[in-house]
Amino acid sequence: MNTSRTKIMTIGALAIVINVVLGLIVSALKIPLLFLDTMGTIFMSATFGIGWGILVAIGTHLVMTIMEGFVAFPFVLVSIATAIVVGLMARKGKFDIKKAIITGLLLAIVSPLIGTPIRLALFGGFTGSGADIIIAGLRASGKEIFTSTFIGVVASNFVDKIVSCILVSILINKLPIKYLGARRAK
């Protein structure tokens, strides 16, 4: 089934809302090791492809920039990388649990490689997220700020990206085929 552009754009708008709302809730609750702010991006990339995932990533960060100021926007690079990795992993066949776990593991490394320098440049390593607990502990033990931040963000992303990918995989595999992109309805 060929999904119309309007339907994809509507789902994309919902994906942006999901990213923003889940990200704000987790941030407000300061839940360690979770962000959940890329689930909509993961869904769009796995279901409709890299391009749609990137559009959702950019849209999410534009909304977050309006809400929180410019400091939210540079992290769009992390979300774009997420869209690319997920889109490539989901390119052939279904985004099943096994593929979701592998994708989550890849994202747990790729995201901090991009996000750590941004976090350091804008916030000195601490953003107010649950990962700050790990970063502070590592700093207190004498680790350098880059090492502490990278390890803290990897630990958070390890949980966050695997959980996010698994939840999206379950959702995709439970949705009726009519809601999925033509390349995912196989």
Side-chain angles (χ1 to χ4, degrees), residues 62-130:
L62 288 173
V63 171
M64 292 306 297
T65 299
I66 291 167
M67 295 173 65
E68 296 182 350
F70 180 74
V71 293
F73 195 74
F75 289 98
V76 71
L77 297 174
V78 177
S79 295
I80 288 170
T82 297
I84 293 168
V85 170
V86 172
L88 290 172
M89 289 298 293
R91 186 168 274 175
K92 293 187 181 185
K94 290 190 174 208
F95 193 65
D96 59 14
I97 296 292
K98 180 181 176 185
K99 202 174 278 190
I101 292 169
I102 293 167
T103 303
L105 288 169
L106 286 170
L107 290 173
I109 301 301
V110 171
S111 295
L113 284 172
I114 298 165
T116 297
I118 296 168
R119 192 181 248 259
L120 287 167
L122 295 178
F123 304 105
F126 297 95
T127 63
S129 74

Side-chain angles (χ1 to χ4, degrees), residues 15 18-19 22 35-45 56 82 160-161 163-168 171:
I18 288 168
N19 282 347
L22 287 176
F35 301 108
L36 299 182
D37 60 352
T38 58
M39 286 187 55
T41 304
I42 292 167
F43 176 83
M44 289 302 287
S45 291
V56 167
T82 297
D160 175 67
K161 298 306 184 215
V163 167
S164 295
C165 286
I166 288 172
L167 290 173
V168 169
L171 176 65

